[in-house]
Amino acid sequence: MNSASPGIERIFSWSSIDSKSRVVILVSILLICSIPHSSGQETITGWNEAESWTDYDLNAAVIHGEIIWVFGDSGIVRLSEDSGATWQNHTNLGDANLISADSYENSMAVISSEGIIYMKDDFESEWITIDSSQTGMKSVALTGATSLVIVGNEGAIWQYTDQTWWNRTTSFTENLHDVDFNGDEDGLVVGDSGTILATDDGGTTWDYRESPDPDCSIVSISYFNPYRMFAVSDSGQILYSTSPGGFEWQLREIESAGYNTTLATNLSSIDVVSSSRILFTGPDGYLGLSLDQGLNVEINILPTGVNTSFNDHAMFDYVSGIVVGDSGVILFTDRAGENEDIGFQIPDYNNFGEFVEYADDMLLSGFIATVKIVLFGILLGFTIGVILAMLKTAPTSFKNILERYSTNQIRALGAVCLIIGLWLLYTGVNRFPELQLEGLEYIFTPVGDPQGFAMFALGLGIVAISIQFILADKKLSGPIFKVRPLNSLATVYTDFFRNTPLIVQFMFIHFGLRLGMRIQQLMEGTFGDPGIDGIDYFFYGDRTFLSAIFTLGLNSGAYQCETIRGAISAIPSGQMEAGRSIGLTYLGTMRLVIMPQAIRICIPPIGNEMVNLVLNSSLAMVIGYSELSRQGKLMIATTFQIFSAWGLVMISYFVVTWTLALLLRRLEEKTKIPGLGISGGA
Amino acid sequence: MVDVVLSIRDLHKIYSGGVHAVKGVSFDVHEGESVAVIGSSGSGKSTVLRCINRLIEPTEGVIELRGEQINTPLADVNQVRSRIGMVFQSFELFSHLKVLDNITLGLRHVRGMSKSKAEEVALDVLERVDMLERIEAYPGNLSGGQKQRVAIARALAMKPEVILFDEPTSALDPELIGSVLKTIRGLADEGMTMLIVTHEINFARDVADRIVYLDHGQVAEEGPSSIINEPKTERLQKFLSSMHEDKISEDIENELVNTQADHGYVPDGTGNRPRS
Ligand SMILES: Nc1ncnc2c1ncn2[C@@H]1O[C@H](COP(=O)(O)OP(=O)(O)O)[C@@H](O)[C@H]1O
Ligand SMILES: [Mg+2]
């Protein structure tokens, strides 16, 4: 007597699955969730620790010829002749803290907190000591063999040239932190309250530059060349100027920090080592590297046990050099400190078995990645397909919506809409000239000005509709009243997705719309950081995964929609009438009567769609999602076994699609309605 | 004076193709009354019924259910439909649901009954149409007569104020007609208010309290069931004589009902496709 309906809900319900299948499903889910995304890969530090033979804080490092010099508290001096690997003691320079150093051709200068300057004017020469009798010095820059500029607290700027001291302090009295010169004429000085001062005469006169953030404290500047000037604030901002003379400064919107203008860490110094490569230091063990002028900053992994405040870099070229920090820490590198991914060594294959054993891991992770996007893609695609099909078959026309209102009301609505529509149209069209397009180029307006185009299109539509509203007669017989707005919307959607190539959709959605990133940020805001494994990571740890399932789902939905719509129209219209005649609503009849029958009819064609989706999922490699095909490419990159690698990938795809086809066949049998032939009618 | 359940006033329907299918039809259906609508094919019988149930909108005219106009955009169409039962020529059972679930669907989702309460009501109406034995069957495995009785039960279950039948036996093989007619006759005896479109002239004469004869979208003659034996208009006379040429024996109904010819019949899947 207890007769559960054989609706879709029962076919997919847990209780209807036998125990053997339950075990298989559980194990599969466990397997999918437990395997980390890129197994077998490890990231290691790009820095090596050197023995400095001191525990004093090291404040400055400078390269003088072949030798690296390091200066620290209490007059500590160390030098290395082998690019920073081993260090020798050098006689202390006084007993005050040495705080800043610079080199220029054959000369080198160091300043102490007591205002004493130590200088060498040649590689072989002895140290010369100059006592300036000044306090509050912060940073030194050489502008010639024996000329230099020093900045300090309360806006102090001193120039030492021709053995004479000049006070060049300007009217700006903020504390100054750093000075840097490009050549011997052009220099920049930075300090508190966003102060930036510039000189073009070797430091004699200084001009103020407009600051992009007057509240920040700029602690370090690097004047790489007239088109590349970078500075950092202690609160983690990156400032840059590309105008010769440093006339205009901007805050970098840091992509890797989610387009924020701060790295969310404190910084102490910046070193620009090539036209695109920048190194950063900060307190609390922060070392950062950017390969693209500060757009993306990667945090350096440190050697184990090292955690100190870093103060200064000294780099020979754009890859090799050192960094110094508190408590006598010196690290050296020959790869600019860049993190290194290791793993996947190329093995030496004696036979095919060994190759397969090596390829297994990559193949499995690719396989799982593919299954993941396929599963979610199918779910999303089917849902979108059903919704679109419902929209397309919805009988609601403007007449249905409006017939309860009087003709005068409709005319009034038309008049209001006409005004709104004309306004939108006018505003939209007026924005187009800014795009500077000519003739046929106007078809690109949706890209050049999406908002303007939306206003134009919406306005045009509203005007066309509202004119007919104004002319409405009592019977609502105008052509517009037969229009089904929901159907039109769905048609626009499907037309768009079915008339553009999937590979372009992938790239547009991932790189253009940055959908994956946006969803990830949304999820992070709601559920917190995804971490690097576990369920959060599974769902939104990988942007390419998010973009991939949405692209596949949105695309597949557009195709599935037509299939489902066909199935809906194959259900005799009497079924809808019968459902409505017992008082069910339109949607109720769709849900309880039409859809359960239509879905059964369309299982075979939808199955084809799903197989297509599996095959299409290989295009996700263009956005960098590590699914099967991409793993295949990686395999070849590391093993050069082209035939074998693509062969394994191909077989893996076949396994996925074949299993899917089997499952669908089973589903079709299970959902068959007793007594109903292939005709599917009532 | 008995209450008027359904009142149709000057009904017109012009289809979008321009066919003027119904041209000013008016009649009433009273409480407990069975009204048979007869007329040749294409005379607008179905159109009238579908207007009443609001499956289509009349072009003009007023339809009232217990004094309330129901063909205005302001009337709650779902509520109106749940008060009017409808039995279709081609049954229109929900083929993915078992017999019992066909009946309970409306009870649960329109009337909001619990599953057990709905099944109680369903079993009750299935007993009235003599279909208790087949509640677990799918419609595809029933004979046409059984299907139509389930369809009648589905309409009955909603406790409608009036049931509309649109040629309930036209899609049936002759030997299956009897059981359905017997079921309808039973409802008439219980005092169910019904509007029946039928080609079974003898059945109409015996069961209906009143006859409405439609011709070319107009009521050509209306009166007590005796008008079938003594038609006043020439048009009805002509129609009746054409019907008699089809000659369905007066006894066929009783004969077939008595032998219960279709009870337990399972079709081989070739017959019972709806006719238009
Ligand atoms: N949906 C429709 N669209 C256009 N014309 C129709 C439609 N339904 C019925 N008609 C026409 O209306 C007239 C009456 O049809 P109908 O009410 O079905 O007659 P009956 O049920 O008496 O056979 C016929 O001429 C038929 O062709
Ligand atoms: Mg008809």
Side-chain angles (χ1 to χ4, degrees):
Chain A
M1 186 90 356
N2 189 352
S3 62
S5 82
I8 290 302
E9 62 278 4
R10 207 194 84 181
I11 291 142
F12 292 120
S13 88
W14 189 238
S15 56
S16 70
I17 303 169
D18 60 56
S19 57
K20 212 166 76 190
S21 308
R22 282 188 205 188
V23 172
V24 172
I25 292 173
L26 277 180
V27 168
S28 318
I29 292 173
L30 272 177
L31 212 79
I32 290 174
C33 296
S34 65
I35 293 194
H37 204 65
S38 53
S39 59
Q41 211 153 6
E42 199 189 334
T43 308
I44 58 163
T45 178
W47 289 102
N48 307 291
E49 196 174 2
E51 180 53 72
S52 65
W53 315 108
T54 176
D55 286 334
Y56 283 109
D57 294 350
L58 301 176
N59 303 320
V62 70
I63 286 171
H64 190 225
E66 299 289 299
I67 299 176
I68 313 180
W69 293 80
V70 166
F71 306 96
D73 283 359
S74 303
I76 283 281
V77 182
R78 295 284 180 270
L79 60 97
S80 169
E81 294 172 339
D82 57 1
S83 304
T86 58
W87 293 84
Q88 309 162 21
N89 289 348
H90 181 279
T91 340
N92 283 12
L93 293 175
D95 51 12
N97 297 342
L98 302 173
I99 50 174
S100 174
D102 193 23
S103 64
Y104 179 91
E105 290 174 357
N106 294 354
S107 332
M108 171 169 68
V110 190
I111 58 171
S112 82
S113 52
E114 307 277 279
I116 300 171
I117 295 97
Y118 303 95
M119 235 168 44
K120 255 171 173 298
D121 56 8
D122 197 11
F123 297 126
E124 304 304 326
S125 70
E126 292 301 311
W127 288 99
I128 307 160
T129 307
I130 309 163
D131 191 344
S132 72
S133 336
Q134 303 285 347
T135 53
M137 289 184 170
K138 280 293 190 54
S139 177
V140 61
L142 281 164
T143 56
T146 55
S147 54
L148 46 80
V149 170
I150 296 174
V151 298
N153 288 340
E154 290 168 13
I157 303 178
W158 299 276
Q159 190 184 18
Y160 180 78
T161 171
D162 303 328
Q163 318 233 343
T164 320
W165 284 101
W166 306 88
N167 190 338
R168 303 295 189 192
T169 306
T170 67
S171 56
F172 297 97
T173 55
E174 299 293 342
N175 291 339
L176 302 177
H177 297 299
D178 198 14
V179 54
D180 197 19
F181 270 76
N182 177 244
D184 45 17
E185 298 286 342
D186 300 323
L188 288 163
V189 166
V190 292
D192 283 353
S193 305
T195 305
I196 303 171
L197 304 172
T199 181
D200 58 4
D201 54 9
T204 309
T205 56
W206 294 88
D207 294 325
Y208 180 73
R209 298 282 183 255
E210 183 97 27
S211 175
D213 179 3
D215 294 326
C216 70
S217 169
I218 309 178
V219 289
S220 180
I221 183 153
S222 193
Y223 198 152
F224 185 70
N225 69 29
Y227 304 96
R228 296 272 189 275
M229 287 155 265
F230 292 89
V232 289
S233 77
D234 66 348
S235 48
Q237 290 150 311
I238 303 173
L239 301 85
Y240 68 99
S241 172
T242 50
S243 54
F247 278 96
E248 276 165 33
W249 286 82
Q250 277 173 289
L251 281 177
R252 180 62 92 196
E253 288 182 7
I254 304 157
E255 194 177 326
S256 60
Y259 295 92
N260 275 324
T261 52
T262 165
L263 281 169
T265 182
N266 295 337
L267 293 176
S268 57
S269 85
I270 181 170
D271 261 83
V272 180
V273 292
S274 79
S275 58
S276 58
R277 201 175 276 239
I278 308 177
L279 283 70
F280 302 89
T281 69
D284 315 319
Y286 183 86
L287 287 178
L289 170 68
S290 174
L291 302 176
D292 52 11
Q293 305 184 10
L295 275 175
N296 290 282
V297 181
E298 184 189 72
I299 299 173
N300 286 179
I301 294 174
L302 299 180
T304 37
V306 174
N307 185 12
T308 189
S309 288
F310 291 103
N311 300 318
D312 199 11
H313 280 103
M315 301 295 291
F316 279 104
D317 48 33
Y318 64 93
V319 283
S320 63
I322 64 153
V323 64
V324 296
D326 287 357
S327 316
V329 169
I330 304 179
L331 306 179
F332 65 101
T333 183
D334 59 0
R335 42 186 290 116
E338 193 176 353
N339 300 337
E340 187 177 11
D341 290 332
I342 55 159
F344 299 141
Q345 280 93 24
I346 301 176
D348 188 15
Y349 310 107
N350 299 320
N351 55 38
F352 184 61
E354 246 172 69
F355 168 74
V356 173
E357 196 183 325
Y358 165 72
D360 264 355
D361 271 1
M362 298 175 82
L363 211 55
L364 185 64
S365 83
F367 183 85
I368 286 162
T370 292
V371 171
K372 261 168 69 175
I373 49 169
V374 163
L375 281 183
F376 286 101
I378 285 177
L379 278 181
L380 191 68
F382 185 68
T383 315
I384 292 174
V386 167
I387 292 171
L388 287 174
M390 300 261 286
L391 291 179
K392 281 205 172 182
T393 51
T396 316
S397 61
F398 276 118
K399 181 173 176 175
N400 298 134
I401 299 170
L402 293 170
E403 66 191 351
R404 67 188 61 224
Y405 303 105
S406 73
T407 319
N408 282 339
Q409 280 171 322
I410 294 172
R411 285 180 184 158
L413 178 71
V416 173
C417 285
L418 184 65
I419 292 165
I420 297 172
L422 283 175
W423 180 79
L424 282 172
L425 195 60
Y426 178 79
T427 328
V429 168
N430 265 345
R431 291 165 64 132
F432 292 163
E434 283 169 30
L435 295 175
Q436 319 245 347
L437 297 177
E438 275 169 32
L440 271 181
E441 291 171 357
Y442 272 101
I443 63 166
F444 297 125
T445 43
V447 178
D449 182 4
Q451 221 182 329
F453 179 78
M455 288 172 107
F456 164 76
L458 207 67
L460 199 65
I462 291 178
V463 167
I465 291 170
S466 58
I467 287 174
Q468 299 194 55
F469 280 8
I470 292 170
L471 302 175
D473 57 8
K474 201 166 175 316
K475 294 259 178 289
L476 300 184
S477 53
I480 193 65
F481 297 105
K482 295 192 186 69
V483 169
R484 297 181 290 147
L486 298 176
N487 176 299
S488 313
L489 276 180
T491 307
V492 169
Y493 176 93
T494 50
D495 278 1
F496 180 78
F497 273 94
R498 287 156 54 115
N499 290 305
T500 46
L502 181 55
I503 192 165
V504 179
Q505 289 169 16
F506 263 114
M507 294 194 281
F508 181 72
I509 286 178
H510 183 71
F511 299 117
L513 295 178
R514 297 169 174 278
L515 189 69
M517 190 191 82
R518 281 163 209 261
I519 295 173
Q520 190 184 45
Q521 282 170 359
L522 202 79
M523 302 282 277
E524 265 172 9
T526 324
F527 301 108
D529 190 83
I532 51 161
D533 51 19
I535 196 77
D536 284 352
Y537 183 83
F538 178 80
F539 281 111
Y540 61 95
D542 184 356
R543 291 169 185 187
T544 53
F545 167 68
L546 294 168
S547 291
I549 57 174
F550 274 91
T551 312
L552 283 177
L554 291 170
N555 178 277
S556 177
Y559 286 92
Q560 292 193 30
C561 149
E562 288 305 314
T563 312
I564 299 168
R565 184 173 75 143
I568 290 176
S569 40
I571 306 295
S573 61
Q575 290 280 301
M576 174 53 82
E577 294 184 349
R580 308 282 336 242
S581 79
I582 55 171
L584 286 173
T585 57
Y586 174 79
L587 283 179
T589 317
M590 280 312 261
R591 183 168 68 88
L592 297 164
V593 178
I594 309 293
M595 277 303 179
Q597 299 183 57
I599 300 284
R600 282 176 173 85
I601 295 179
C602 66
I603 286 173
I606 288 283
N608 289 340
E609 261 324 307
M610 288 178 180
V611 169
N612 271 339
L613 190 140
V614 176
L615 304 181
N616 286 342
S617 75
S618 63
L619 292 177
M621 73 189 280
V622 300
I623 60 167
Y625 181 66
S626 50
E627 44 69 68
L628 264 174
S629 315
R630 191 177 152 86
Q631 294 296 75
K633 268 192 101 163
L634 282 178
M635 243 187 276
I636 289 164
T638 49
T639 67
F640 307 106
Q641 306 284 309
I642 298 171
F643 175 82
S644 306
W646 284 129
L648 296 193
V649 167
M650 209 169 221
I651 288 177
S652 307
Y653 272 112
F654 189 75
V655 169
V656 180
T657 46
W658 189 248
T659 322
L660 187 66
L662 278 181
L663 281 175
L664 285 163
R665 216 169 297 164
R666 214 174 113 90
L667 183 70
E668 196 184 343
E669 276 159 26
K670 271 193 116 167
T671 54
K672 211 168 134 74
I673 303 166
L676 209 63
I678 41 159
S679 66
Chain B
M1 180 69 198
V2 209
D3 283 354
V4 176
V5 177
L6 202 58
S7 164
I8 291 140
R9 291 279 153 266
D10 197 26
L11 191 71
H12 284 267
K13 175 68 191 179
I14 304 170
Y15 281 109
S16 47
V19 180
H20 200 157
V22 174
K23 307 168 186 159
V25 166
S26 305
F27 61 88
D28 289 340
V29 180
H30 300 266
E31 182 83 57
E33 190 182 37
S34 310
V35 175
V37 180
I38 58 175
S40 53
S41 184
S43 58
K45 308 181 294 294
S46 297
T47 306
V48 171
L49 246 56
R50 293 154 66 80
C51 282
I52 295 173
N53 207 8
R54 290 200 57 188
L55 289 174
I56 53 176
E57 293 301 324
T59 314
E60 237 168 75
V62 175
I63 303 167
E64 289 177 351
L65 183 62
R66 293 203 188 275
E68 290 166 46
Q69 186 177 355
I70 58 173
N71 63 325
T72 71
L74 299 174
D76 178 352
V77 65
N78 298 314
Q79 198 252 350
V80 164
R81 287 193 186 120
S82 75
R83 291 166 63 190
I84 303 176
M86 179 93 181
V87 175
F88 299 87
Q89 179 177 352
S90 49
F91 330 122
E92 301 300 351
L93 292 182
F94 308 133
S95 52
H96 62 299
L97 296 177
K98 291 175 182 171
V99 165
L100 188 66
D101 299 320
N102 259 279
I103 315 282
T104 56
L105 189 76
L107 295 173
R108 292 175 62 187
H109 292 100
V110 179
R111 293 278 185 257
M113 288 185 188
S114 71
K115 190 165 188 270
S116 56
K117 182 84 202 344
E119 283 179 357
E120 207 175 289
V121 175
L123 291 175
D124 189 50
V125 290
L126 283 168
E127 187 174 13
R128 277 165 75 184
V129 300
D130 201 14
M131 280 300 296
L132 264 189
E133 277 106 299
R134 303 300 313 270
I135 57 170
E136 287 288 312
Y138 281 94
N141 288 340
L142 297 178
S143 75
Q146 291 173 325
K147 281 185 196 166
Q148 195 58 296
R149 272 144 55 201
V150 173
I152 293 172
R154 179 173 70 185
L156 271 180
M158 301 301 289
K159 298 233 168 3
E161 289 160 45
V162 53
I163 303 187
L164 316 177
F165 291 85
D166 192 359
E167 304 192 27
T169 57
S170 298
L172 298 179
D173 292 340
E175 70 271 20
L176 303 179
I177 292 174
S179 68
V180 173
L181 293 185
K182 186 192 165 208
T183 305
I184 299 174
R185 188 189 290 265
L187 295 179
D189 294 343
E190 289 169 27
M192 188 77 218
T193 313
M194 296 186 287
L195 184 60
I196 309 164
V197 171
T198 183
H199 288 295
E200 307 292 338
I201 297 302
N202 296 327
F203 171 77
R205 184 191 58 204
D206 296 349
V207 176
D209 300 304
R210 265 180 329 114
I211 307 283
V212 173
Y213 169 57
L214 280 189
D215 189 27
H216 290 96
Q218 284 169 322
V219 180
E221 190 168 343
E222 183 186 351
S225 54
S226 56
I227 63 169
I228 289 189
N229 289 338
E230 295 140 20
K232 294 194 195 73
T233 60
E234 203 178 316
R235 283 200 274 181
L236 181 54
Q237 248 167 28
K238 251 196 190 150
F239 171 68
L240 288 174
S241 57
S242 76
M243 291 301 291
H244 281 298
E245 279 160 24
D246 289 350
K247 69 160 175 297
I248 297 163
S249 152
E250 289 200 19
D251 307 320
I252 194 168
E253 182 190 332
N254 293 327
E255 197 181 295
L256 286 169
V257 169
N258 291 341
T259 55
Q260 296 278 304
D262 72 331
H263 216 100
Y265 166 82
V266 178
D268 55 7
T270 53
N272 303 314
R273 298 301 305 161
R275 271 186 251 140
S276 57

